[in-house]
Amino acid sequence: MAHMDQHSHKPKENGAVEHYDVVVIGAGFGGLYALHHLRGMGLSVRVYDGAAGVGGTWWWNRYPGARVDFPGSPFYCYTFSEELVREWDWPETQPDQPSVLAYLEYVADRFDLRRDIQFETWMRDACYDEEAQRWRLETSAGERISAQFLICAVGTLSATHKPDIPGLDTFAGECYHTGRWPHEPVSFAGKRVGVIGTGSSGVQSIPEIAREAAYLTVFQRTPQYSIPVRNRPMDPEVVRQARENWAAIRAKMTASPLGAPFEVSERSAFEDTPEQRQALYEELWQKGGFHILFGSYADILTNKEANRTLADFVRGKIGEIVRDPATAEKLMPDYYLGTKRQLLDDGYYETFNRDNVALVDLRQDPIQEILPEGVRTANSEHLLDMLVLATGFDAITGALLRLNPRGRGGASLEEKWRTRFDSYLGMTVADFPNLFMIHGPGSPSVLFNMPLGAELESAWIGDCVRYLRTHGLGAIEPTPDAEQRWDREVAGIANETLYPLTDSWYTGANIPGKHRQFCVYLGGPDYFRRLAEVAAQGYEGFVFEPEYGQLTEELAS
Ligand code: NA7
């Protein structure tokens, strides 16, 4: 391929600028595959990650109980290599964090990825040099780098959200955020522990903490619906069939709404009688996982009344499981089921039957302040030795904004996204040439199989780079008009559903001051068809510059 590998990719020791074809930020599922794919095309690629190892979200989220919620092994994994599918044995249907991390470490070694990754390196600055048609980057250690293409694989759930609660920094005990969990073992034994937050991280960790702690106080702002995860050891027959038919299974995953090879229902909840619905919900509750949400009825997430039938069923389960009626009442959710990230648990509601667990309903009894010795709510003081913040993330856009690249004219992404998270195809941004996002706002990201989505997005980026190189083009960026059309397309699909009606991290409502926008493309496989169409039409919606990039004096030094 013309022009490829034209720049040295040996790290410089004398402080000079290092040049690459591609810089990838992030060594999670997205970044690792981008490296493998683009390096395989003959491009020089360098990956940077602030963590000390591969894994992205699976490197950071080591809290007890952290587990895959996506429907089952061996499907939440890379799909591109049949050898890899044959080599890797997943122990359970819903792998825990150590298993996923071990898998990604294996992948990094298996495909010899580590030699092109620099760990413990945060990117401090990213600025597009219009004259050079290259990104100029600077690491936190002051290293200077240039790359024609910048791929932000910074993660959708990586910018942790630390709540702005008065006195939080004065707490004298141990304090951990689930998304920045320590690597050393954390002991809860004999301790009074408080957990703030009851999203996935809270609901997964609370039963584990309760088993060990002397006393656990759960501070809940919004009660949520949770479904039993029903994790099981892998069935060897499922593994055998997957390995023998991987190409067909991969095709099925790519064409399915969630990126998983499972049937989704096409029937309305009102095609069944109430008794039939109840029987189906009971069957799928026993089966566990996302099946009850996506495998029951097609209109659960689009029709308020259909949604209510399932919400009532789950509220009934909470009432049956939790023995104390006052506690059960506090745990009853009242939003449209599934419109916040659907929680899966292993004994969450049962945990509130334990003698050493208390639930504080912050809607009735809000936190006033955090004291050195605990949490003071309106009605009480809770003495604690440890505080666990399961308070989530500035999702989807947060990590991109923390990087805050500067595009044409030095304008920052923060300025660009002040009122709307505009993108084209969820992957590119007008005025930010040669920048690509994996799982950016406006892509299917968290509502599609993320490893598979990352593979398909990286492949599209690779094709796009190849197109530029073979046509003598130096830069590509979308037009503002294409962004507006994409925004309408994403919003149009979302507005047919109940998702935008709920305060959630999908809509940005969990972050004070963040503007409300539902940032997930809900069309599933239609997204990848749209990507293919755009490419087939000569990258419709994009503008190009011929290649004229000259290394500016600063970059050449
Ligand atoms: P989530 O799902 O955003 O949950 C965060 C929780 O923390 C949620 O219950 C919040 O209540 C609560 N929260 C946030 N800020 C506060 C303050 N200031 N006071 C009290 N409670 C607060 O994050 P997770 O880490 O659990 O899950 C994120 C994803 O990671 C998950 O879906 C998986 O895909 C992996 P709220 O509901 O906003 O009232």
Side-chain angles (χ1 to χ4, degrees):
M1 192 180 303
H3 308 303
M4 292 220 174
D5 228 351
Q6 60 192 342
H7 300 294
S8 144
H9 57 282
K10 294 270 178 298
K12 300 267 169 61
E13 281 159 17
N14 55 3
V17 182
E18 298 165 27
H19 300 290
Y20 301 98
D21 293 321
V22 183
V23 157
V24 179
I25 306 181
F29 264 111
L32 290 179
Y33 185 71
L35 166 60
H36 175 68
H37 184 72
L38 296 169
R39 197 175 67 180
M41 289 170 53
L43 295 160
S44 64
V45 186
R46 187 94 175 142
V47 180
Y48 297 85
D49 197 301
V54 298
T57 198
W58 297 106
W59 195 87
W60 294 104
N61 284 271
R62 293 162 186 257
Y63 60 85
R67 200 174 274 290
V68 171
D69 60 9
F70 189 78
S73 304
F75 310 114
Y76 178 84
C77 59
Y78 290 123
T79 67
F80 68 94
S81 161
E82 293 210 20
E83 291 77 30
L84 181 60
V85 172
R86 276 198 295 275
E87 288 162 17
W88 187 260
D89 286 314
W90 291 104
E92 299 173 313
T93 57
Q94 305 294 141
D96 60 10
Q97 176 270 334
S99 306
V100 185
L101 187 60
Y103 169 77
L104 287 171
E105 285 172 347
Y106 176 79
V107 168
D109 293 330
R110 167 78 170 71
F111 296 97
D112 192 18
L113 301 179
R114 292 182 200 271
R115 68 182 153 93
D116 289 314
I117 308 175
Q118 187 170 322
F119 295 110
E120 295 183 276
T121 306
W122 295 100
M123 207 52 83
R124 178 162 69 195
D125 192 35
C127 182
Y128 187 69
D129 181 329
E130 295 177 51
E131 210 180 312
Q133 294 179 309
R134 298 179 74 77
W135 281 90
R136 290 198 278 125
L137 303 145
E138 195 175 315
T139 70
S140 46
E143 297 153 295
R144 294 184 304 140
I145 303 136
S146 92
Q148 186 181 5
F149 301 100
L150 175 62
I151 298 183
C152 300
V154 291
T156 49
L157 295 158
S158 57
T160 51
H161 168 55
K162 190 175 164 194
D164 186 15
I165 303 175
L168 181 54
D169 291 333
T170 69
F171 182 66
E174 296 165 78
C175 183
Y176 307 113
H177 191 290
T178 48
R180 289 286 180 277
W181 199 260
H183 286 223
E184 311 74 52
V186 173
S187 170
F188 307 103
K191 294 178 188 163
R192 297 161 303 177
V193 181
V195 175
I196 302 181
T198 54
S200 289
S201 307
V203 160
Q204 288 183 336
S205 59
I206 283 165
E208 303 279 332
I209 297 172
R211 270 193 276 279
E212 203 187 313
Y215 201 80
L216 171 63
T217 308
V218 176
F219 297 92
Q220 167 195 273
R221 190 164 65 181
T222 309
Q224 296 212 38
Y225 305 92
S226 189
I227 308 291
V229 64
R230 308 248 190 252
N231 178 41
R232 303 172 182 88
M234 274 311 288
D235 176 349
E237 184 51 25
V238 172
V239 177
R240 191 187 62 76
Q241 287 200 13
R243 286 177 175 162
E244 282 177 13
N245 305 296
W246 190 248
I249 287 179
R250 184 175 198 248
K252 193 169 177 186
M253 287 160 76
T254 307
S256 88
L258 291 177
F262 299 109
E263 300 306 325
V264 294
S265 175
E266 290 177 2
R267 299 175 62 243
S268 161
F270 303 108
E271 288 178 47
D272 278 347
T273 64
E275 294 72 27
Q276 288 169 324
R277 276 200 300 269
Q278 193 73 7
L280 180 60
Y281 290 153
E282 183 60 41
E283 183 191 324
L284 295 174
W285 174 270
Q286 295 307 331
K287 191 171 178 184
F290 285 167
H291 295 287
I292 202 167
L293 182 57
F294 298 104
S296 57
Y297 299 108
D299 46 3
I300 296 290
L301 287 163
T302 54
N303 179 308
K304 292 178 182 176
E305 280 307 303
N307 192 281
R308 194 177 51 75
T309 64
L310 180 54
D312 283 346
F313 173 84
V314 177
R315 281 190 285 257
K317 286 289 181 192
I318 299 170
E320 281 170 28
I321 297 169
V322 180
R323 287 198 288 269
D324 171 42
T327 305
E329 192 51 40
K330 289 187 210 166
L331 287 166
M332 292 294 172
D334 56 8
Y335 59 94
Y336 297 113
L337 187 149
T339 55
K340 279 176 175 273
R341 178 76 178 187
Q342 182 55 52
L343 308 186
L344 303 181
D345 72 278
D346 188 5
Y348 175 64
Y349 295 121
E350 290 82 349
T351 298
F352 294 96
N353 292 332
R354 297 177 65 105
D355 294 338
N356 68 333
V357 176
L359 178 65
V360 178
D361 179 355
L362 299 179
R363 297 201 284 198
Q364 303 284 330
D365 184 13
I367 296 177
Q368 303 284 314
E369 66 175 321
I370 297 194
L371 309 165
E373 60 278 11
V375 172
R376 191 166 66 76
T377 60
N379 300 339
S380 184
E381 217 170 274
H382 307 270
L383 299 179
L384 301 172
D385 304 303
M386 186 193 292
L387 195 52
V388 173
L389 303 175
T391 45
F393 303 88
D394 183 352
I396 305 175
T397 51
L400 290 157
L401 285 169
R402 285 183 193 183
L403 176 69
N404 199 22
R406 290 175 290 137
R408 284 198 187 283
S412 71
L413 191 63
E414 196 177 72
E415 289 166 67
K416 163 93 186 175
W417 280 356
R418 192 148 282 156
T419 54
R420 197 100 192 132
F421 300 115
D422 285 326
S423 83
Y424 182 43
L425 306 175
M427 264 203 276
T428 58
V429 183
D431 288 328
F432 291 77
N434 293 357
L435 178 143
F436 298 96
M437 303 174 288
I438 307 273
H439 298 316
S443 75
S445 69
V446 292
L447 287 169
F448 192 80
N449 184 347
M450 295 188 83
L452 174 60
E455 285 177 0
L456 298 171
E457 288 173 38
S458 293
W460 189 89
I461 293 168
D463 289 347
C464 180
V465 168
R466 188 180 283 115
Y467 182 89
L468 261 71
R469 293 284 172 101
T470 51
H471 288 77
L473 301 168
I476 179 170
E477 70 186 286
T479 64
D481 177 58
E483 285 185 331
Q484 297 312 309
R485 283 186 285 121
W486 188 252
D487 188 18
R488 285 196 293 275
E489 187 168 335
V490 174
I493 302 169
N495 289 339
E496 309 238 310
T497 75
L498 304 173
Y499 282 104
L501 304 182
T502 297
D503 284 349
S504 70
W505 55 258
Y506 294 145
T507 57
N510 65 323
I511 301 298
K514 187 169 177 175
H515 59 267
R516 282 289 284 259
Q517 182 180 342
F518 185 81
C519 280
V520 184
Y521 183 96
L522 286 176
D526 286 345
Y527 174 76
F528 301 102
R529 277 194 284 277
R530 294 284 286 110
L531 292 187
E533 267 168 34
V534 166
Q537 290 161 6
Y539 294 90
E540 180 271 321
F542 287 96
V543 286
F544 300 96
E545 279 174 359
E547 185 172 16
Y548 57 72
Q550 297 295 321
L551 286 193
T552 49
E553 210 173 292
E554 193 193 343
L555 281 178
S557 68

